[in-house]
Amino acid sequence: DTVLSSNFKAQKLPKTAALFNQVDVDLKVATDAAKNTFRRHHPLRDGGFSYPSDHAANMFLYARLLTDIYPIQAKEFYQYAKQLSQDRVILGGHYPADIVAGEAYGFYLATELLNNSSFRQKWNEVKLEITNLIPAA
């Protein structure tokens, strides 16, 4: 099951896929910088750091962006992000604090993006592409 629909696929949403790919690149730079600052050793890998969780940051950043389009579904987006993030703890890949920090960082980065005029211009085009395929309620 998906939170939105099975239509939410890169082939059907090329502008969306391109922007989210760029967001992923930018997020990786941001989380790597934070991980290299805090340097909490990863519970499963030698040589890697786990704080903050880039998976959690990613999920909550996406949830926040999608809530900008579909505010009525905010609860579902955040529950989905929380579940995917908690799965990382259950599987032993993160400590709970990594997830909490990733969630906060994801929200922070989403807010920064949405307040950036250049991003906002691209985001408005993406919103139109998405809502043409999956109308907002």
Side-chain angles (χ1 to χ4, degrees):
D1 284 322
T2 61
V3 177
L4 285 174
S5 90
S6 59
N7 285 326
F8 203 80
K9 298 192 184 314
Q11 314 85 285
K12 295 183 178 187
L13 299 162
K15 287 182 182 182
T16 303
L19 185 63
F20 274 64
N21 284 338
Q22 185 59 53
V23 166
D24 286 347
V25 169
D26 294 344
L27 177 72
K28 181 75 173 137
V29 169
T31 56
D32 282 354
K35 285 176 188 241
N36 286 322
T37 298
F38 295 108
R39 304 180 67 79
R40 173 187 267 170
H41 292 283
H42 198 282
L44 293 179
R45 292 190 303 256
D46 288 334
F49 301 118
S50 67
Y51 183 92
S53 165
D54 47 2
H55 289 95
N58 187 283
M59 291 298 103
F60 282 96
L61 186 148
Y62 281 12
R64 174 61 189 95
L65 292 178
L66 292 172
T67 296
D68 188 58
I69 302 171
Y70 303 103
I72 292 171
Q73 290 180 269
K75 183 178 178 181
E76 289 85 0
F77 293 139
Y78 296 132
Q79 284 176 338
Y80 187 68
K82 187 167 278 302
Q83 183 59 56
L84 289 177
S85 298
Q86 290 299 326
D87 287 350
R88 309 297 295 175
V89 174
I90 292 167
L91 294 171
H94 278 288
Y95 301 105
D98 300 344
I99 301 305
V100 172
E103 178 180 344
Y105 206 31
F107 277 124
Y108 167 77
L109 294 170
T111 300
E112 290 298 306
L113 287 172
L114 290 170
N115 287 330
N116 178 288
S117 60
S118 176
F119 179 84
R120 183 51 97 164
Q121 182 179 357
K122 293 173 190 170
W123 181 242
N124 287 336
E125 293 175 18
V126 163
K127 285 172 62 172
L128 183 60
E129 181 180 68
I130 291 172
T131 56
N132 282 337
L133 185 63
I134 307 165

